[in-house]
Amino acid sequence: MSHYPNSGTWRACPQCGRHVHQRQWGTYQQCPYCHYWQRLTVTQRLQQLVDTATFQSFETTERPVNQLGFPDYTEKIQRAQRQTGLSEAVVCGTATIVQQPCVLAVMDSHFMMGTLNTVVTRRLLHASEQARVRHLPLVIVTASGGARMQEGVYALVGMNLFLAELARLATAQLPLITVLTDPTMGGVSASFAFRGDLIVAEAGAKIGFAGARVIQQTLPVKLPADFQTAEQLLANGMVDAVIERPQLRAYLGRALSNYGIGGQVHG
């Protein structure tokens, strides 16, 4: 996997527009001028969250198929695969976070905006099933624009399929921790993002269902400046904690330790 958004020496900050040198973004990819957090790749997220060399991805053979014959969908998938080095918008496997074992699923917004489709759903289902088999907590890092429109009802059905699997995970008395990062929108936020036993939001993340512009055009109201931010959700009791990126790994390690569950990581 590559650090695909990091090509080039200078990058304009999406929030303040200032040109920032690659070295100025730092390890945690934060703008030195306005403190905007850059969206991370799967590789960067794993490097920041898991203990060194502990992530073992699950073997996956399924690949996305243009079942509905949607125009240009196959080409868009192939382009996303070339640009990211990923086969789909989520990577799942086992890992330890501060020596605490878990099954980990990380979504990547750089692959077609991290949208939920049949393959992403199958991988998430497999991750939850493996958590039950190995008796491990499940941690999902969300970064998604919602369900993938090119797969229509197939993508929407996946939301319910995964919710049914999470009910089985709960019956097995295994915890689900969801980490909501920028962006967590649409069908992902409407389904499993807020089903965690512990719901953590990364500081500065945009989280909601429909985008603010769509809502503003539909409703004749002025939206607050902090609308759909992680911090606003915390103030309204929608998430359990908002954590700055440098502290996220330690926070998750403590949370997993509190659950006291350590089953079979590998094998």
Side-chain angles (χ1 to χ4, degrees):
M1 302 176 196
S2 63
H3 292 250
Y4 28 91
N6 294 341
S7 58
T9 304
W10 296 87
R11 278 180 291 155
C13 173
Q15 181 164 283
C16 70
R18 298 281 294 272
H19 281 79
V20 182
H21 193 276
Q22 188 176 19
R23 295 179 181 178
Q24 289 180 286
W25 285 102
T27 302
Y28 294 101
Q29 294 295 294
Q30 187 177 36
C31 175
Y33 302 108
C34 69
H35 307 299
Y36 168 83
W37 299 98
Q38 193 78 258
R39 293 172 180 174
L40 298 183
T41 69
V42 162
T43 301
Q44 291 169 322
R45 185 67 68 181
L46 291 175
Q47 288 176 342
Q48 293 184 15
L49 286 186
V50 309
D51 300 338
T52 304
T54 63
F55 182 76
Q56 298 291 323
S57 62
F58 297 135
E59 293 185 9
T60 55
T61 57
E62 65 273 283
R63 293 295 182 269
V65 177
N66 190 359
Q67 301 179 76
L68 300 178
F70 199 94
D72 300 323
Y73 181 36
T74 300
E75 291 74 17
K76 288 181 179 180
I77 291 172
Q78 293 171 346
R79 184 164 58 250
Q81 291 172 336
R82 288 194 303 269
Q83 291 173 343
T84 65
L86 304 176
S87 58
E88 251 304 340
V90 69
V91 173
C92 306
T94 58
T96 64
I97 300 176
V98 196
Q99 291 77 55
Q100 301 300 315
C102 66
V103 171
L104 177 65
V106 180
M107 305 183 78
D108 194 324
S109 64
H110 299 92
F111 192 109
M112 295 193 70
M113 209 54 203
T115 41
L116 185 71
N117 72 335
T118 51
V119 174
V120 172
T121 298
R122 290 193 192 107
R123 292 185 182 183
L124 291 172
L125 286 168
H126 181 68
S128 181
E129 290 164 358
Q130 286 298 305
R132 290 192 287 118
V133 169
R134 300 165 189 255
H135 198 69
L136 288 172
L138 175 61
V139 179
I140 303 176
V141 181
T142 64
S144 176
R148 191 171 300 175
M149 68 173 186
Q150 291 90 344
E151 295 196 20
V153 70
Y154 293 108
L156 296 176
V157 167
M159 295 163 55
N160 282 335
L161 288 174
F162 190 46
L163 287 175
E165 166 55 31
L166 291 182
R168 291 188 283 272
L169 185 74
T171 300
Q173 297 186 329
L174 292 169
L176 168 65
I177 299 175
T178 53
V179 182
L180 316 186
T181 73
D182 186 55
T184 296
M185 304 293 290
V188 170
S189 68
S191 56
F192 61 87
F194 286 92
R195 289 297 295 271
D197 299 286
L198 176 64
I199 305 170
V200 183
E202 188 173 59
K206 281 286 186 181
I207 304 164
F209 183 66
R213 183 172 57 184
V214 173
I215 296 172
Q216 186 72 72
Q217 291 172 348
T218 305
L219 301 175
V221 296
K222 184 176 181 180
L223 301 175
D226 63 349
F227 184 66
Q228 293 184 329
T229 62
E231 291 74 13
Q232 186 205 39
L233 266 65
L234 178 65
N236 287 279
M238 297 294 292
V239 299
D240 296 306
V242 173
I243 307 298
E244 295 272 340
R245 187 172 289 171
Q247 285 77 51
L248 188 56
R249 177 175 176 268
Y251 180 90
L252 290 177
R254 289 193 300 271
L256 290 167
S257 176
N258 288 337
Y259 283 114
I261 297 174
Q264 178 188 4
V265 181
H266 306 305

